[in-house]
Amino acid sequence: VTETVSVAQAAWEGLRLVAAWPNLLHVLGATVLAMVVAFLPGVSGVTLMTLAIPFTLSWDPVRTLLVFGPFVGGATFMGSVTAILFNIPGAAPSAATALDGFPMARQGRAKTALGCAALASALGSSFGVLVLILLVPVMRPATLAFGPPELAMLGLWGLVTIAAVVRGSIVKGLAAAGLGLLASFVGLDPRTGELRYTLGLPYLRDGLSVVVVLLGMFAIAEVIQLVVDDRGPASGGPRAERLTGSLREGAAAVFRHFGLFLRSSVLGTVIGAIPAVGGTVASFLAYGHAVQTARTGRDRFGHGDIRGVLAPEAAHDAKDGGSLIATLALGVPGSEGAALLLAVLTLHGLVPGRDLMTTQLPLVFVLIWSLFLSNWITSILGLSAASLLARLSVLRARRLAPLILGLAALGAFAHAGRIEDVVLAMACGVLGYYMRKHGWPTIPFVMALVLGRLFETNLHLAVRLHRLGRAEFWTRPIALALFVLSVITAALPFLRRKRPAPGTGAG
Amino acid sequence: VTRPPLRPEPPGREPQPAPARRRGARVSRRRVLGALGIAGGALLSGPGAWAQPSGGSGPCVPLAGKRVRWIVPHAVGGGHDADSRLIEPFLERRLGAEVVVENVPGAGGIVGATLLRDARPNGLTMGLVNGPGLLLAALTGDSAAPNPATDFAILGRIGRTQHVWATGSASPLRSVDLLLREAEKRAILVGSVDVGGTSFASVALIAPLLGIAVEFVAGFPSSRSAALAAMRGDVDVVSFSLDVLQPMLDSGDLTPLLQISARPLSSTRVLDGVPVLGGAAGLAIRRARSLKRDVAETGADTATVIALIGAGRLIVAPRGLDAGLFRCLAQELRGVLTDPGFEAAARASKRALDVADADGARAEIELAARRGEKFIPILRDTIRRMRR
């Protein structure tokens, strides 16, 4: 394609290319492959992409993009399946889904949680893709609009929402958040390059890996709990014949809380469009937002509230559309997967930027539609297997504990190939277990860890740019809006206290 | 693809396929990646690549049938990883050994490089390290960083780290002349990822040579985030490797200002007409003349800085290799790097080569380390100012 075509024509042409025989088979095959990989903790589509790159050199660009759509973000729902069933996040963003998804499985409502996650994931992804299509003409300014002041304020807003997710002792909750912030400071000081809290270990120079910490705090802590409690089913819930809940109930929850779904999807898309922020921040911010804005039953969060499954799933999958914005429009990848996508595009002579977004737009749409289809295929296939998967949650704990431990250790090792990561995951597992045992909430800890680095790095940059006269905070509307949002979020609990809550029971 | 004059491999020496895998050997992600890398290499080099006779003759016989760990101190998907997976199938066939690429990222390459340095020098552990990154870390006093000039047996160089100064396409500083003129009025703002790394040094050491003042805005989470800051106009200049900047230069989002090299970096058209720092007609010499500085000294200093920044991606093994083993490995690697099939594979993968044999690579890094010490106080001063 050599001439500039309109967005609508390009979208149609892209759809026609995807639907042409046997192109749909490529999407299906790549999706199934991505689903299998996404099911394994710590291993992601990035691994598949690395493996696939040598093969794609002899392929035409259309076939390559058809396959890379599912790899770059098409099967993320599968990572949530293990999060819901066993408290093992298949990828870091799925950890937020586990916060309420796993308690639901323990209550025998795994199918409900899976149904909700599958539909929220597919619809969230569709939302992201829709926004991507609508924003094609303004992709570049949209991505460039987020500089250090905006990102610092986004981080601040995320940190403020932590107050909303604290359960039980407010002192313990805030102390856990403080510990999480401290943990986020481990490694190189972004401003000066000095080492902080590394104990002289080169391993700690890059800071604590969020993926590894989450595997420890969730999966390994769960294994310890299983072994200590010596309970029957791994989920701690009822036996198979007593499984309650249904896929329909879970799917219906997406429409019952459609406002939350939309807000979470918008949040995911916006965060996806910002390079180097990522799905983990999107998921946890959406979770915090869900708790913060819940009018009823806020105490149910963390104990099996379906809104705690819906919000992170929608945000996580909507993020993929957004992250393509930065990669395709500016050649700036928003994630490791997007970086590999960029490498493949370059190898095929496709240069991200103006040309790709104008003269080669149909190829961009091949990628978009492939991603879109892949998310729906994943949800449909995942849902088909949901009944079977839900029964896994009632297997005997003693049989599953070694398997979960092995998978978590493998996931930690596969993340970067370092044995130290396995040790860190184990240490975090022990920490997570004791925190739970003594009533210290783990959610504020992990949220502060995820958001702390984003906030600190960008705060330093924003202050430095301000001092050098390059970033006037008061003249940046997005930064100001996020600051105002943070103030409102912080003030909400005090405003709510003045009027009694109308009751509980949502979800 | 550029290649300095190396003697080609004598005819008659044929690469050999890897031996069959041991039964029951551990199957890991790396192993799968390695296997796929071989497949990728075979795809790149065409059907003839598998038709080479097998064997295991020559001085590397002790390695035949063994498993060689190839350590990459950086993450999957980066330049060092891509280069390593390019080398892997060719080296396997030459050694008759199983070469397994292992990514050991962390601490800017220090974790993997330390593992390489501390491995047993028996030829079963090799790898590809970032020469300038390690050298700068070692020279500026990072006690954890291995010194590539003294801590390894250097077996060759696959390419150089080619840096370019660039600015946003909307910036008024559209050329290096405009930048120099602006620098007479104020300090130039430079976006940087870390403090003390190669990209940081590529500005901190070159700015004094050009007689300009710079202010760093350090701490961007990635090179691409810093490049975005240049596009937005938050900073005036970024300096990163051509690998990183190429997509943004190609798309016109960034404007190249200066090639940190003694000769044009690449055949890429986007750098046509962009001034080169070094060489007799380079910007540093022209600037020295206009500032009435010692031209000869400036020329020598510029050459040293370019050597320091562009020390390249070095193929190394632990120090203490048996002399025969060292010679054989160096010879086989030279054979790989000059193999037309390998060069074709590199071209297909768009990897820029600038190869050197063991002697050439070692001589350059030792010279860079020796002469580079003169510039370390400048670097340390800049870092100290950043930390104040």
Side-chain angles (χ1 to χ4, degrees):
Chain A
V1 182
T2 53
E3 58 182 359
T4 304
V5 288
S6 74
V7 173
Q9 279 175 315
W12 174 251
E13 177 64 14
L15 188 60
R16 198 187 61 75
L17 285 168
V18 173
W21 183 262
N23 290 353
L24 267 178
L25 272 187
H26 294 314
V27 180
L28 182 65
T31 304
V32 171
L33 210 56
M35 283 175 74
V36 173
V37 169
F39 201 72
L40 303 170
V43 186
S44 65
V46 172
T47 314
L48 271 179
M49 292 166 92
T50 311
L51 294 173
I53 284 175
F55 294 103
T56 65
L57 293 172
S58 59
W59 296 356
D60 61 75
V62 172
R63 190 171 161 197
T64 305
L65 294 173
L66 286 170
V67 168
F68 268 66
F71 289 177
V72 82
T76 43
F77 165 61
M78 294 311 287
S80 303
V81 173
T82 48
I84 290 169
L85 296 179
F86 306 118
N87 214 15
I88 305 180
S94 305
T97 306
L99 299 177
D100 276 283
F102 182 65
M104 284 182 74
R106 291 180 70 164
Q107 295 156 12
R109 296 163 63 214
K111 277 167 79 173
T112 310
L114 288 171
C116 175
L119 192 65
S121 161
L123 285 177
S125 155
S126 305
F127 181 91
V129 166
L130 184 70
V131 171
L132 180 65
I133 293 170
L134 294 175
L135 282 187
V136 161
V138 290
M139 270 182 177
R140 298 166 54 77
T143 300
L144 285 172
F146 276 82
E150 288 76 17
L151 291 175
M153 289 303 108
L154 186 71
L156 176 68
W157 179 51
L159 289 171
V160 169
T161 62
I162 292 178
V165 301
V166 170
R167 293 283 165 274
S169 162
I170 189 82
V171 175
K172 284 181 179 176
L174 292 180
L179 277 177
L181 270 181
L182 272 179
S184 77
F185 294 155
V186 173
L188 280 175
D189 182 327
R191 187 178 60 90
T192 64
E194 286 173 298
L195 296 172
R196 302 181 302 195
Y197 315 121
T198 60
L199 312 171
L201 301 172
Y203 164 71
L204 290 176
R205 284 183 176 215
D206 294 335
L208 299 176
S209 159
V210 170
V211 176
V212 174
V213 171
L214 290 177
L215 275 170
M217 298 285 281
F218 286 81
I220 294 173
E222 191 57 37
V223 169
I224 298 171
Q225 189 85 53
L226 280 175
V227 173
V228 171
D229 292 355
D230 195 24
R231 60 184 185 234
S235 67
R239 293 182 177 282
E241 61 271 17
R242 290 195 199 154
L243 278 176
T244 58
S246 70
L247 298 176
R248 186 176 293 180
E249 184 191 337
V254 177
F255 298 102
R256 207 164 60 244
H257 305 289
F258 201 68
L260 176 63
F261 163 78
L262 277 181
R263 293 196 304 276
S264 303
S265 299
V266 169
L267 194 61
T269 309
V270 170
I271 289 173
I274 308 167
V277 178
T280 313
V281 171
S283 297
F284 278 98
L285 270 179
Y287 183 84
H289 172 71
V291 180
Q292 183 76 45
T293 56
R295 289 170 189 270
T296 58
R298 290 174 69 217
D299 290 342
R300 290 172 55 90
F301 280 93
H303 301 291
D305 193 307
I306 202 157
R307 292 169 294 180
V309 175
L310 191 164
E313 277 302 306
H316 178 197
D317 283 83
K319 175 258 324 173
D320 295 324
S323 75
L324 286 180
I325 294 176
T327 309
L328 301 176
L330 296 161
V332 179
S335 64
E336 209 179 355
L340 284 169
L341 175 67
L342 185 68
V344 164
L345 290 174
T346 310
L347 283 175
H348 283 273
L350 303 172
V351 180
R354 291 187 186 99
D355 281 353
L356 189 64
M357 301 315 297
T358 51
T359 57
Q360 292 163 325
L361 204 48
L363 285 176
V364 171
F365 276 101
V366 167
L367 184 71
I368 292 171
W369 290 125
S370 165
L371 176 67
F372 174 84
L373 279 176
S374 169
N375 272 295
W376 278 96
I377 292 170
T378 305
S379 288
I380 291 166
L381 292 182
L383 275 179
S384 311
S387 296
L388 184 70
L389 294 170
R391 296 179 88 85
L392 287 174
S393 66
V394 295
L395 288 178
R396 301 268 331 156
R398 240 178 250 166
R399 288 185 191 159
L400 272 180
L403 179 69
I404 296 174
L405 187 66
L407 277 176
L410 181 69
F413 182 74
H415 165 64
R418 291 181 296 210
I419 198 71
E420 292 95 331
D421 282 338
V422 181
V423 176
L424 176 64
M426 297 295 167
C428 289
V430 173
L431 175 69
Y433 168 72
Y434 277 103
M435 282 179 77
R436 280 194 220 175
K437 188 177 174 185
H438 296 290
W440 287 67
T442 51
I443 302 172
F445 178 89
V446 295
M447 281 185 74
L449 174 66
V450 169
L451 296 166
R453 211 168 295 165
L454 172 78
F455 178 65
E456 190 208 1
T457 301
N458 287 290
L459 183 67
H460 279 315
L461 284 170
V463 169
R464 177 100 173 121
L465 286 170
H466 174 75
R467 282 184 183 157
L468 293 167
R470 290 298 174 101
E472 291 300 330
F473 178 77
W474 303 110
T475 61
R476 317 256 304 211
I478 296 175
L480 267 176
L482 284 166
F483 177 69
V484 170
L485 190 63
S486 303
V487 172
I488 293 171
T489 305
L492 262 182
F494 300 103
L495 297 174
R496 279 210 178 104
R497 216 173 279 168
K498 289 187 176 173
R499 52 175 189 168
T504 57
Chain B
V1 178
T2 55
R3 178 160 63 88
L6 280 178
R7 274 177 294 134
E9 187 62 13
R13 182 167 180 77
E14 301 286 5
Q16 303 122 18
R21 303 280 193 267
R22 281 174 289 129
R23 291 186 74 183
R26 183 169 61 93
V27 178
S28 65
R29 178 175 156 228
R30 288 194 192 353
R31 212 176 185 102
V32 176
L33 284 170
L36 268 291
I38 295 168
L43 275 176
L44 294 168
S45 50
W50 291 113
Q52 307 291 354
S54 62
S57 59
C60 283
V61 164
L63 298 182
K66 299 267 179 65
R67 182 173 179 269
V68 174
R69 292 175 78 195
W70 183 280
I71 307 288
V72 183
H74 302 276
V76 171
H80 288 79
D81 181 62
D83 285 348
S84 297
R85 291 180 197 283
L86 270 179
I87 291 174
E88 181 196 356
F90 292 91
L91 187 62
E92 277 202 336
R93 290 196 293 275
R94 285 195 161 264
L95 295 180
E98 178 195 0
V99 177
V100 180
V101 175
E102 283 189 32
N103 297 84
V104 187
I110 291 176
V111 173
T114 306
L115 186 76
L116 248 170
R117 181 194 63 188
D118 298 340
R120 286 181 60 196
N122 54 10
L124 297 178
T125 308
M126 287 186 271
L128 190 66
V129 299
N130 172 11
L134 288 178
L135 189 57
L136 283 165
L139 291 178
T140 50
D142 187 336
S143 57
N147 186 330
T150 55
D151 290 346
F152 297 106
I154 295 170
L155 299 166
R157 185 188 68 218
I158 184 167
R160 289 185 185 278
T161 322
Q162 304 174 322
H163 275 71
V164 173
W165 282 18
T167 188
S169 55
S171 167
L173 313 177
R174 290 183 305 278
S175 70
V176 79
D177 289 333
L178 288 170
L179 181 134
L180 293 174
R181 214 170 296 154
E182 186 70 14
E184 289 168 10
K185 299 177 218 157
R186 64 172 174 90
I188 299 297
L189 298 196
V190 181
S192 170
V193 174
D194 51 11
V195 178
T198 317
S199 295
F200 180 88
S202 71
V203 176
L205 298 182
I206 289 166
L209 288 172
L210 299 179
I212 62 174
V214 292
E215 283 277 3
F216 283 94
V217 181
F220 284 97
S222 69
S223 49
R224 290 182 171 96
S225 303
L228 268 181
M231 287 184 213
R232 267 194 304 271
D234 288 347
V235 297
D236 296 314
V237 170
V238 287
S239 173
F240 292 111
S241 72
L242 186 57
D243 279 355
V244 169
L245 295 181
Q246 184 94 50
M248 288 163 272
L249 294 175
D250 284 344
S251 68
D253 289 313
L254 289 180
T255 305
L257 296 175
L258 181 64
Q259 306 186 58
I260 311 304
S261 168
R263 59 174 193 267
L265 286 181
S266 155
S267 55
T268 177
R269 282 200 339 223
V270 80
L271 293 178
D272 282 354
V274 175
V276 170
L277 177 72
L283 181 69
I285 296 283
R286 281 192 281 132
R287 189 74 178 155
R289 286 200 183 106
S290 70
L291 295 174
K292 301 194 179 358
R293 288 179 175 175
D294 185 330
V295 169
E297 189 186 356
T298 301
D301 287 351
T302 306
T304 303
V305 170
I306 289 171
L308 199 60
I309 304 297
R313 303 185 292 277
L314 301 172
I315 301 168
V316 301
R319 261 180 78 95
L321 276 181
D322 167 77
L325 200 53
F326 174 81
R327 270 198 305 278
C328 123
L329 285 174
Q331 184 183 331
E332 295 299 351
L333 278 160
R334 194 181 61 176
V336 168
L337 298 178
T338 56
D339 184 326
F342 173 78
E343 290 177 340
R347 266 196 305 276
S349 299
K350 303 203 171 172
R351 298 298 306 156
L353 301 180
D354 189 348
V355 304
D357 62 11
D359 292 340
R362 191 179 61 247
E364 278 197 36
I365 193 90
E366 284 175 355
L367 191 68
R370 212 167 40 247
R371 291 196 183 162
E373 285 190 356
K374 174 181 174 185
F375 295 93
I376 298 310
I378 298 173
L379 207 51
R380 282 194 178 139
D381 274 354
T382 315
I383 295 170
R384 208 172 297 133
R385 266 191 285 127
M386 295 289 298
R387 290 177 179 170
R388 224 177 273 153

